[in-house]
Amino acid sequence: MNWKTLCKISLVCGVCCASNFAGQAQQRAQTDTPAVQTPAPLPEVRLDGNYFSAGGKRFLPVGVNWVPAKAAMQWPYQWNPVDIEADFAQMHALGVNTIRLDLVWSWFEPRPDDYNPEAFRQMDALISLADKYKIYLHPEMLIGGEVGEAYWDVPYRQGRNPHSDPYMLRLETDFAQELARHFGKSSAILSWDLTDEPPFWIVAGTTTDSMAINWTRLITGALRRYDTLHPLVVGTSMEDVGHGSFRPDLLKNEVDFFSVHPYTIYSPKLFPDPMLSERQTYGAAFETALTEGAGHPAMIQEVGASSAQYKPEAIAAYERTALYSGLGAGANGFLLWCYTDAAPAQYAKVPYLRSPHETQFGIVTWDRKERPAAKMLTAFSKTTGGMDLTGIEPAPAEVGLLVPNEWSKPYGDASHFGLTGPEYAPYTSTVEGGAVNGQEPTKYADDNARLMGAWLSSYILTRRAGMKAEFPREYDNWQKYPMLVMASPLTSTDVAMVHVHSDFWSKAKAYVENGGVVYASVSADAAIPDMDELFGARLVDGAPAREVTLKIVAPLGGLKPGDTFTYSASADAMTQWTATLQVDGGQVIAVDQDGRPALVAHSLGRGKTLLSAYPIEMYLANQPAAFEGKDASHRIYQALREWAGIKTTVWTDDSSVEASALNAKDHGYLVVVNHSAQSKQVTIHTSLPVRTLIRVTADGKMAVPQQQSGWSLQLDPYDGAVLDWK
């Protein structure tokens, strides 16, 4: 037998022995250990009314934004399956059912039209982990910015604008289409988020309204070619309150729901308060309500604070109040920023190197130790997970805070200009001509800030007065609300973006005659056509103001003669001057420090109006910690409600404890939130047909005792409660 024959015999024997060994090992494995099973896929998610639904059952996405501690934004390049699965395991243990994560564009497409197969395999692995740990994925595509001041560019952008350049738009839509083709049928995906916090940071100052609309329309259209399952959103941050080009009114026809990122701590002009303050803890609900007014439900997609700046216990309190308040406002999802701190090694690298606050936003430390916010999120997840949302929708509001058409429309939209027929010469606005003649668009930052401050004050005052407020748009059905609040500058005349159109006031007159109620505050820049017919008073002039006192001289609702309200104004700003009034048919309810009419009540037809000669909402907006002291301005709103006989759905006997309702036909939930630093024993009142009230908690359910005057509830500082009513 020659050498080749021996080799063949040896090879055959070896193969046979190996095959026999493998068979024996497989037999032992089947006998000794169970076979590894592929986890059942998560049920598909759809939008059902205001809420998400999975497998036919509504639920609230509750979770975090996920950026791994050790690799940070480089995690796709430094792929660590063991570390990533450990993250998923801990997030699952914390009650997380949804995570938002970044699909770094340059990793998926390192060269134009050349996709990286490894990136798609990683996404498949994440989908497997999602199924295993029952955590939905909410991927952000086309990532440019995310952490700190970084912009994660693609090497082939070469100075092009991603929102307008044809070449970039072609690449972006192709990439979106490729993701949809690969993952469009994956039930582990909650929703596609087109990108994080547009406009892309590198071109934010040059992105116009039309660019934002066109970009969104193109990307969503590309996704829909292969994916008709997943809801779509654009992960905007403060675009609503900042009047940005990606504000919700411009996106409503392109997406399925909206997002808000209420970072109140980084908006000191709008929120001039400590983090734990009444105004700041209303920030999430305020943005939710303002954004939802454009026509879709809103997710609180990012909210949080850094332990490098604030005490961890205070962060948990702030986030708890924001989440419960947002829940009452109708938010349909809650994702904290973020899951974990950055590992210390990341401190020496950008973006953390240049952004110290970004290092410690985690609800867990980089080595997975839980912070108070983690325990808070677990409790919130268990509590909301105990809610049956079948048939539930947010209760209707009693108050409309009107949004001017000029604020909500795209720059250059002339659809409500009232011009018809071919006989008119071409009209070009002197402040909005950029849409047709190439001039630079007008900047409205200061005026928008004035409007936002007044809106925020009005929103908080309505909540403190026991009423729910929404933000109808000027040409929507605002007549369905029992009451309108028109705080200055909505009543002004100078900058069109922040006030209503002139013909609104004739519509308001008809609304009041038919039983509606209007509150308005004015200043020296106001202009209201035929004002005396509507308010029983007219403008005469304006006068500087510094220290303002409103003294009640005639009863109105709960207001009694001798009650006073004090404010500080800026005599240097005409927008804060008093509007001197001539009363013509109205009743003076309050006078100012100089004896002039300050509050004028008027009845018209079946409705009522109340006019303030001072822009008190703007005064509150400019006063740091305005709602932490003894301010009682909400009593003015409350008095108008009582005088007009407006019934509210749910309210408490403490102005710092808000109450909201989420209702079905004969059952639902009350959401009660303590916005103060003190424990509160409150009585809950409601016009709903409540027979029993059960508090839903992370540990189970408990009955809420009924008293003769209402339902009694104890709340810790900055705490919230969900009450199941039947």
Side-chain angles (χ1 to χ4, degrees):
M1 189 178 292
N2 62 26
W3 179 81
K4 289 184 179 179
T5 304
L6 285 172
C7 286
K8 287 180 180 179
I9 293 174
S10 299
L11 180 61
V12 171
C13 289
V15 170
C16 290
C17 290
S19 177
N20 186 47
F21 177 79
Q24 293 174 353
Q26 184 176 9
Q27 187 176 6
R28 285 197 303 272
Q30 291 172 348
T31 304
D32 299 339
T33 59
V36 177
Q37 295 183 343
T38 302
L42 286 160
E44 293 180 352
V45 174
R46 298 186 183 275
L47 276 172
D48 177 16
N50 189 71
Y51 298 102
F52 291 95
S53 175
K57 182 180 179 181
R58 285 179 167 187
F59 78 107
L60 292 168
V62 177
V64 291
N65 288 261
W66 176 66
V67 178
K70 297 176 184 176
M73 289 292 291
Q74 301 300 313
W75 63 267
Y77 301 86
Q78 301 172 20
W79 181 256
N80 187 329
V82 174
D83 209 45
I84 290 172
E85 181 160 5
D87 282 354
F88 272 73
Q90 184 178 35
M91 290 188 290
H92 171 76
L94 292 174
V96 167
N97 65 28
T98 303
I99 66 168
R100 183 166 171 257
L101 70 157
D102 309 298
L103 304 187
V104 181
W105 183 13
S106 59
W107 172 241
F108 275 84
E109 190 176 2
R111 289 161 297 279
D113 303 299
D114 183 13
Y115 298 109
N116 177 12
E118 182 62 24
F120 290 87
R121 284 193 290 270
Q122 288 176 352
M123 185 64 180
D124 285 331
L126 292 174
I127 287 171
S128 295
L129 289 175
D131 288 333
K132 179 177 180 179
Y133 291 99
K134 306 308 175 190
I135 296 175
Y136 283 103
L137 305 179
H138 184 23
E140 309 156 58
M141 305 155 37
L142 297 165
I143 288 303
E146 182 61 281
V147 177
E149 45 73 56
Y151 181 76
W152 303 102
D153 214 340
V154 287
Y156 38 85
R157 184 175 68 85
Q158 297 176 340
R160 301 180 181 95
N161 189 322
H163 294 304
S164 61
D165 179 81
Y167 178 66
M168 296 303 295
L169 290 171
R170 197 268 295 174
L171 292 176
E172 290 166 303
T173 51
D174 283 354
F175 175 49
Q177 183 174 285
E178 192 70 11
L179 288 175
R181 191 170 67 83
H182 275 265
F183 307 113
K185 292 182 172 56
S186 171
S187 61
I189 293 175
L190 175 92
S191 162
W192 290 113
D193 188 347
L194 273 57
T195 191
D196 177 66
E197 299 184 350
F200 286 118
W201 300 358
I202 202 73
V203 294
T206 61
T207 302
T208 66
D209 290 358
S210 293
M211 287 181 192
I213 294 170
N214 292 338
W215 182 87
T216 306
R217 185 172 295 161
L218 286 169
I219 306 303
T220 56
L223 284 167
R224 287 291 180 237
R225 179 171 292 183
Y226 288 105
D227 186 347
T228 58
L229 170 64
H230 298 108
L232 305 180
V233 68
V234 183
T236 59
S237 175
M238 312 295 277
E239 287 288 283
D240 45 7
V241 297
H243 196 252
S245 57
F246 278 85
R247 59 192 180 276
D249 294 83
L250 307 191
L251 308 181
K252 63 183 179 182
N253 294 327
E254 319 305 332
V255 300
D256 301 301
F257 67 100
F258 297 129
S259 67
V260 296
H261 296 189
Y263 284 116
T264 59
I265 55 177
Y266 299 122
S267 302
K269 289 186 177 180
L270 185 57
F271 296 92
D273 318 276
M275 178 182 68
L276 277 179
S277 64
E278 192 152 336
R279 182 155 37 202
Q280 290 228 23
T281 54
Y282 266 116
F286 168 67
E287 280 203 58
T288 297
L290 176 59
T291 292
E292 285 178 335
H296 290 313
M299 170 189 283
I300 299 176
Q301 200 182 46
E302 288 189 27
V303 65
S306 172
S307 297
Q309 295 178 291
Y310 299 96
K311 185 178 179 181
E313 290 78 7
I315 294 173
Y318 166 74
E319 292 175 345
R320 181 190 302 111
T321 316
L323 295 188
Y324 276 103
S325 187
L327 175 66
N332 69 358
F334 310 87
L335 305 180
L336 297 182
W337 181 270
C338 57
Y339 162 60
T340 178
D341 290 350
Q346 286 291 333
Y347 296 5
K349 305 175 185 177
V350 292
Y352 297 99
L353 176 74
R354 305 177 77 180
S355 305
H357 68 292
E358 291 277 14
T359 61
Q360 293 184 319
F361 264 91
I363 65 170
V364 301
T365 63
W366 73 275
D367 52 355
R368 300 194 177 91
K369 294 183 178 66
E370 294 180 16
R371 286 210 172 95
K375 296 178 175 60
M376 179 281 299
L377 186 66
T378 300
F380 183 79
S381 177
K382 289 181 178 179
T383 299
T384 55
M387 299 172 67
D388 179 3
L389 296 172
T390 304
I392 295 290
E393 295 293 327
E398 295 87 20
V399 178
L401 306 179
L402 206 64
V403 176
N405 177 257
E406 298 284 338
W407 185 92
S408 58
K409 71 171 191 175
Y411 189 88
D413 178 352
S415 60
H416 291 286
F417 281 7
L419 302 177
T420 59
E423 69 274 15
Y424 288 102
Y427 167 86
T428 300
S429 169
T430 59
V431 297
E432 202 174 8
V436 291
N437 65 12
Q439 77 184 50
E440 188 71 18
T442 304
K443 305 298 183 183
Y444 290 118
D446 291 341
D447 300 293
N448 181 71
R450 185 160 56 109
L451 177 62
M452 283 301 143
W455 266 343
L456 179 56
S457 295
S458 296
Y459 183 82
I460 295 172
L461 292 177
T462 58
R463 302 306 285 133
R464 287 172 64 84
M467 297 180 286
K468 179 181 178 181
E470 293 178 348
F471 289 86
R473 274 47 179 174
E474 184 175 352
Y475 286 94
D476 290 344
N477 181 24
W478 48 265
Q479 291 88 347
K480 69 180 181 181
Y481 298 94
M483 180 173 168
L484 286 182
V485 168
M486 304 291 296
S488 179
L490 291 173
T491 54
S492 66
T493 188
D494 185 24
V495 179
M497 190 198 75
V498 299
H499 66 72
V500 292
H501 286 161
S502 300
D503 65 346
F504 164 79
W505 296 107
S506 60
K507 300 172 189 174
K509 181 173 177 286
Y511 162 78
V512 173
E513 289 174 332
N514 289 320
V517 178
V518 172
Y519 163 88
S521 64
V522 293
S523 64
D525 70 339
I528 301 176
D530 302 317
M531 180 178 176
D532 50 346
E533 295 180 16
L534 180 58
F535 290 107
R538 60 159 298 144
L539 297 169
V540 175
D541 204 340
R546 285 194 185 277
E547 299 303 319
V548 177
T549 299
L550 276 55
K551 182 180 179 181
I552 304 300
V553 295
L556 184 78
L559 297 179
K560 299 179 177 60
D563 292 345
T564 59
F565 303 87
T566 59
Y567 307 95
S568 294
S570 171
D572 298 328
M574 189 176 179
T575 56
Q576 295 194 31
W577 287 11
T578 179
T580 54
L581 301 176
Q582 175 183 308
V583 178
D584 185 7
Q587 181 186 10
V588 177
I589 301 298
V591 297
D592 68 9
Q593 63 281 351
D594 297 314
R596 295 171 298 201
L599 290 175
V600 178
H602 185 50
S603 295
L604 179 64
R606 293 188 288 112
K608 302 184 184 301
T609 64
L610 183 65
L611 177 68
S612 171
Y614 286 88
I616 62 175
E617 294 80 11
M618 289 173 58
Y619 297 159
L620 293 170
N622 295 327
Q623 179 184 338
F627 301 101
E628 311 315 307
K630 298 180 180 180
D631 179 76
S633 300
H634 66 278
R635 293 185 58 214
I636 298 173
Y637 286 29
Q638 197 170 38
L640 177 57
R641 172 179 66 81
E642 293 165 349
W643 178 47
I646 295 173
K647 293 183 179 180
T648 55
T649 303
V650 58
W651 68 100
T652 75
D653 60 353
D654 192 303
S655 61
S656 290
V657 180
E658 73 163 326
S660 307
L662 309 172
N663 294 333
K665 279 189 177 181
D666 57 355
H667 71 282
Y669 296 94
L670 307 182
V671 182
V672 187
V673 188
N674 181 6
H675 287 269
S676 79
Q678 291 79 41
S679 294
K680 298 284 186 177
Q681 182 74 40
V682 297
T683 301
I684 302 167
H685 307 274
T686 179
S687 58
L688 295 166
V690 176
R691 302 184 305 275
T692 61
L693 203 57
I694 305 295
R695 183 169 183 176
V696 182
T697 74
D699 301 319
K701 298 183 177 182
M702 62 184 73
V704 178
Q706 185 176 13
Q707 298 177 338
Q708 187 173 359
S709 59
W711 305 80
S712 180
L713 182 69
Q714 174 72 36
L715 279 175
D716 291 333
Y718 303 110
D719 197 8
V722 173
L723 311 177
D724 185 353
W725 73 265
K726 289 182 175 63

